[in-house]
Amino acid sequence: MRANRLLGSALVEHNLVKFEDLEAANERVLELAGQGDFRQASVLGILALERKVVREEDVLHAVMEEHQLGVVDLRHYDVPDDIRKHLDLGMCWASWTVPYDKEEDFWLVATAYYLSPAVRTHWEKKLGGTIVWHATTMDVIAEFLDRQQAERDEHAKAHPAS
C-alpha cells in the first residue's frame, strides 16, 4: 500500500496525473485490496488501464529522462536459475519489481514502480550491494511473474512433497 501511495504522489508531482484522479484510484486500490485482489490493487494499473488518465509509456519516458534509467524487456532475458528459484513472488507483485540478474556485487532490477521511493528502499535493503535499476512495464512484470509461478506449480506437481 505504501508503494502505491508514494508512486501516486510522484505521478502527481511529475504532472502525469491530477490529484482528483489519484484520489479515485486510491479508493479503488483499497476496494480491490479489501477483496483480496492484490494483483489488481495497483495505483498505476488503475490510472493507466481502468481510468485511462495516464499512459504507462509516459511514465516510462519520465523515468528514463529524469532518472536516466534504461528499459528492459524480461521476455527477452534469460534470468539465471538461482535468482528465479529464490524470488519472493508476493513481494515482486506488491512492488511490481523483479531482481533479474547479479554480477559480483551489482544487482540488475526491473521495475514498473521506480517513482515510488518505498519500492526502491525496500529492494535496496533486501538485496544489499549496488542496484542498477531498469524501467519496464507492468505487462512485462506480470508476464514474467506468471511464468515463474507456472514453473513453480509445474515443479510442485511433478515433485509432490512426501
Side-chain angles (χ1 to χ4, degrees):
M1 296 305 286
R2 187 165 188 262
N4 276 313
R5 279 195 319 273
L6 293 176
L7 175 66
S9 295
L11 293 173
V12 170
E13 288 172 18
H14 284 82
N15 295 315
L16 292 166
V17 298
K18 295 178 183 170
F19 183 74
E20 300 78 36
D21 292 319
L22 176 59
E23 282 184 321
N26 282 334
E27 288 177 21
R28 181 76 170 127
V29 166
L30 291 173
E31 176 186 330
L32 291 167
Q35 296 169 358
D37 191 354
F38 297 105
R39 179 175 174 169
Q40 299 302 316
S42 159
V43 74
L44 181 57
I46 291 165
L47 289 166
L49 304 174
E50 274 188 32
R51 299 189 55 85
K52 299 185 187 315
V53 295
V54 68
R55 294 179 329 141
E56 198 171 3
E57 299 86 52
D58 294 336
V59 176
L60 282 175
H61 286 291
V63 168
M64 289 168 28
E65 289 177 18
E66 294 181 32
H67 300 279
Q68 289 76 47
L69 261 62
V71 177
V72 67
D73 186 342
L74 296 175
R75 295 175 291 199
H76 306 290
Y77 197 89
D78 187 25
V79 176
D81 288 342
D82 60 326
I83 292 175
R84 285 194 338 254
K85 289 178 184 175
H86 295 100
L87 282 177
D88 177 347
L89 298 184
M91 183 49 66
C92 291
W93 277 117
S95 63
W96 289 92
T97 301
V98 173
Y100 67 93
D101 206 351
K102 184 176 184 190
E103 297 182 25
E104 296 179 20
D105 290 335
F106 290 87
W107 282 93
L108 301 178
V109 178
T111 186
Y113 265 46
Y114 183 80
L115 292 177
S116 175
V119 167
R120 295 192 313 269
T121 299
H122 167 79
W123 287 103
E124 288 164 358
K125 286 180 183 175
K126 179 171 177 64
L127 297 174
T130 302
I131 295 179
V132 178
W133 290 96
H134 291 98
T136 196
T137 64
M138 292 179 71
D139 283 344
V140 167
I141 296 284
E143 186 176 316
F144 177 83
L145 294 175
D146 284 341
R147 197 170 53 247
Q148 298 318 301
Q149 187 62 57
E151 285 179 16
R152 289 179 183 186
D153 292 347
E154 188 173 313
H155 183 268
K157 189 176 180 182
H159 303 90
S162 304

